[in-house]
Amino acid sequence: MLRGAAAIAAAASALPAPRIARAAGPAWPPRPITIVVPYSPGGGTDIFARALAEGMRSALGQTVVVENKAGANGIIGAEYVSRSTPDGCMLAVCTGAHVINRYSMAQIPFDPVKDFTPISKLSSFPLVVAATEKAPFNDVAGLLAAAREKPGSISFGTTEAATSYAGNSFARQAGIRLVEVPYRGSGPQLNDLIAGHISLAVTSTVAVLPYLNGGGIKALGVTSTTRSPLIPNVPTLTEAGIRDYEFTGWYGMYGPKGIPPEIAAKLYAAIQATLANPTIGKKLKDLGADLDSLGPDGFPAFLEQDDKRWAAAAREGLITAAP
């Protein structure tokens, strides 16, 4: 996985990207920019962020580095960024769990919507219910039969609140009992899946794709309403018999609260230039990313709607805060 990230970065650096005009006078950015990934190295978010960082380096004319700060479903890294100086030089790339955490955890040290500057919704992507190749089942029907024969005997790995919700809602709608095993990132999650320490994992297409077709993992279903063009032979969970099931993940970039609007706009312009780079755009799409970005003008409204969605889910008992 890390080699794949390095390959993306190398390809990105080989192509020139449009330079973005300095945002806050000729000295901006005044120092290297850090993008915090609040999960372990080697996962889907990490791969996406590293490709993005390399493209932004070319666009901004400044060093952009990625730093992993994993733990607490992404809380540790996000809190670190929230407490940094709001000058646009400390950012985070998070999944949709950034918003869900306030409803899936008893307490978090920030408001995920109000305590950050939303820079860009970067991408949306389906999740995949994947199994170790050592599992005795090869499709959702086989999984359901095995789970009903021995309730609670099948474990599934998750990495944060979004994958936890997707996996538990899948089990609930299927009428089976699975045992959740949380991980600090999809790197260690998929390593354990390949080794057979867990039977299932709920993860992103970005993370799982390199391990399909003989890599130790088999995909059973995707959570989107339509099949992924990357794995067109894998059915949606609805097609596999889980009626009306749908869940789509997403990546977003944030900074601490108070970043000046002109800097947020320049960061978004650098992101747009990066995604428009043919090599980077193709690589990310080949990894399953749908590059439907939103900027500082549209991303806040998206976050407000997403927050309302999860608040309603919590009221209805679909999300329970962990103690």
Side-chain angles (χ1 to χ4, degrees):
M1 183 68 73
L2 292 174
R3 286 196 299 270
I8 294 175
S13 62
L15 283 181
R19 285 291 178 91
I20 304 301
R22 304 292 181 170
W28 194 89
R31 56 189 172 88
I33 293 173
T34 298
I35 298 177
V36 170
V37 173
Y39 311 107
S40 298
T45 312
D46 187 62
I47 290 175
F48 192 102
R50 290 181 187 277
L52 193 69
E54 197 62 37
M56 289 178 67
R57 180 196 65 77
S58 298
L60 292 169
Q62 178 59 280
T63 300
V64 182
V65 299
V66 173
E67 183 176 349
N68 298 88
K69 288 187 175 294
N73 287 341
I75 296 297
I76 291 175
E79 182 183 15
Y80 178 83
V81 171
S82 74
R83 297 180 183 276
S84 65
T85 302
D87 60 359
C89 293
M90 182 65 69
L91 307 168
V93 171
C94 304
T95 70
H98 179 73
V99 177
I100 305 173
N101 278 335
R102 76 191 311 178
Y103 304 106
S104 64
M105 304 180 74
Q107 186 176 2
I108 61 175
F110 51 74
D111 184 312
V113 176
K114 296 181 180 179
D115 290 344
F116 294 82
T117 298
I119 303 297
S120 177
K121 176 178 177 282
L122 300 168
S123 167
S124 59
F125 54 88
L127 298 179
V128 181
V129 176
T132 174
E133 285 190 344
K134 299 178 180 180
F137 44 80
N138 296 308
D139 53 26
V140 171
L143 163 62
L144 299 184
R148 287 165 181 157
E149 182 179 355
K150 294 182 178 180
S153 64
I154 297 175
S155 57
F156 72 102
T158 61
T159 55
E160 31 72 35
T163 55
S164 175
Y165 174 82
N168 283 304
S169 62
F170 161 72
R172 182 168 50 248
Q173 287 183 232
I176 59 176
R177 183 161 63 89
L178 302 175
V179 178
E180 181 177 0
V181 181
Y183 288 85
R184 292 166 67 92
S186 56
Q189 174 204 41
L190 296 181
N191 285 339
D192 271 7
L193 184 67
I194 292 169
H197 300 316
I198 54 175
S199 300
L200 300 172
V202 181
T203 187
S204 69
T205 50
V206 176
V208 79
L209 195 64
Y211 299 100
L212 301 178
N213 300 319
I217 295 175
K218 48 192 175 185
L220 306 185
V222 295
T223 63
S224 49
T225 56
T226 59
R227 295 192 182 199
S228 167
L230 298 177
I231 42 176
N233 293 329
V234 178
T236 67
L237 292 179
T238 297
E239 289 176 323
I242 313 302
R243 185 175 179 182
D244 297 329
Y245 185 94
E246 185 272 331
F247 185 88
T248 302
W250 52 271
Y251 298 129
M253 178 178 283
Y254 305 82
K257 182 179 180 179
I259 292 179
E262 64 271 20
I263 292 180
K266 293 299 180 181
L267 285 168
Y268 180 59
I271 291 168
Q272 289 294 93
T274 298
L275 299 182
N277 180 305
T279 298
I280 296 178
K282 182 178 185 304
K283 288 287 186 181
L284 292 175
K285 288 179 180 178
D286 287 348
L287 287 169
D290 180 4
L291 306 180
D292 56 341
S293 64
L294 294 171
D297 293 335
F299 192 27
F302 173 88
L303 290 173
E304 292 285 353
Q305 287 300 115
D306 204 52
D307 186 59
K308 290 177 181 178
R309 171 188 179 182
W310 297 115
R315 289 194 300 268
E316 295 167 6
L318 298 176
I319 300 176
T320 302

